[in-house]
Amino acid sequence: APTADAPVSNGFALAIAIMVGMVAALAYALFAIGRAVSGKRVPLLSPHLDTLLPVVALLGLAVAGYLTYVETTSVRAICGPVGDCNAVQSSPYARLFGVVPVGVVGALGYIGILTVWLWQRLRSDWLAAYAPLILFGMALFGVLFSLYLTYLEPFVIGAVCAWCLTSAVLITATLLLTVGPLARAVAPPEAAPAAEAPSPT
C-alpha cells in the first residue's frame, strides 16, 4: 500500500518535458548569438529582463545550497509529490568523479554568475567588458551539465529529483537572460550613414 510520503508521480514525463525545453532554449540561444554576430536582427528578450538575472541566480543558489546540505550531511531531503529525490541523491551520480557533490558544483556556478554580474556593474576593466560573454559561457556550461544530469534521472537512475529539475529550469532561465546582453555586445556597429555631398554654390 502507498505510504504517506510516497510520490504522486514518478516525474519522468516532467523530466523529459524539461529536457525538451532545455534543448529548445539552447537552440534559440545559439541561433540568436549567431545572427547577432552576422549583423542580422534576432528576436531578443526585452532588455528590462536583464535585471532578473541576479534574482534567478539567487534562487538557483538557494536550491543548490539545499542540495549541497543534503549531499554533504546525508540527511533525507524533502521531496514533495514528484519523484524520489533521495534515490537520486544516494546514487553514484550525485557526486562528480565520485568525490565532489553535484550541489557544490551548482552552488559555485551560481556564485560565479552573481560575482561576474555584480562586477560588470561596479567596474569598468577588461573583466567587466567581457562579462556578457563570461556569463553566457557559464550559463551555457550549466545548461549542458544540467541536461546531462536530467537525462540520467529517468533513463539511468530510474528516479527523478524535483530539486534537480528546479535547478535545471533556473539555469535554463539564466541562459536565456544572458542572450540579450551578449547579442548586443557582439553585434557589429551599424554602418554610419553616408555623409551628404555639399551642395554646389
Side-chain angles (χ1 to χ4, degrees):
T3 59
D5 58 351
V8 175
S9 166
N10 61 21
F12 287 5
L14 178 61
I16 293 171
I18 289 175
M19 288 175 58
V20 171
M22 295 173 77
V23 171
L26 283 168
Y28 165 77
L30 297 178
F31 167 78
I33 299 304
R35 286 185 64 88
V37 170
S38 62
K40 299 177 182 178
R41 287 195 60 188
V42 293
L44 296 176
L45 298 174
S46 168
H48 302 294
L49 292 179
D50 298 351
T51 56
L52 292 178
L53 192 147
V55 177
V56 175
L58 283 172
L59 291 174
L61 179 59
V63 172
Y66 179 71
L67 289 175
T68 298
Y69 168 73
V70 170
E71 293 163 356
T72 55
T73 61
S74 299
V75 300
R76 288 186 61 82
I78 302 172
C79 296
V82 177
D84 184 358
C85 50
N86 288 297
V88 176
Q89 297 307 316
S90 62
S91 74
Y93 301 98
R95 291 180 178 269
L96 189 63
F97 307 119
V99 178
V100 182
V102 170
V104 172
V105 177
L108 292 175
Y110 282 116
I111 290 173
I113 288 172
L114 288 167
T115 300
V116 175
W117 182 88
L118 186 62
W119 189 280
Q120 72 174 338
R121 278 155 176 76
L122 300 179
R123 305 293 295 267
S124 57
D125 54 10
W126 68 269
L127 180 59
Y130 283 95
L133 178 60
I134 297 171
L135 288 171
F136 179 82
M138 287 193 293
L140 178 62
F141 174 82
V143 169
L144 292 173
F145 187 50
S146 292
L147 184 60
Y148 166 71
L149 295 176
T150 305
Y151 164 80
L152 289 176
E153 292 181 28
F155 296 110
V156 178
I157 301 173
V160 166
C161 171
W163 291 100
C164 305
L165 296 183
T166 301
S167 180
V169 171
L170 291 172
I171 192 62
T172 303
T174 301
L175 175 69
L176 292 175
L177 292 172
T178 65
V179 170
L182 180 59
R184 291 190 291 272
V186 301
E190 295 181 359
E196 294 183 2
S199 56
T201 54

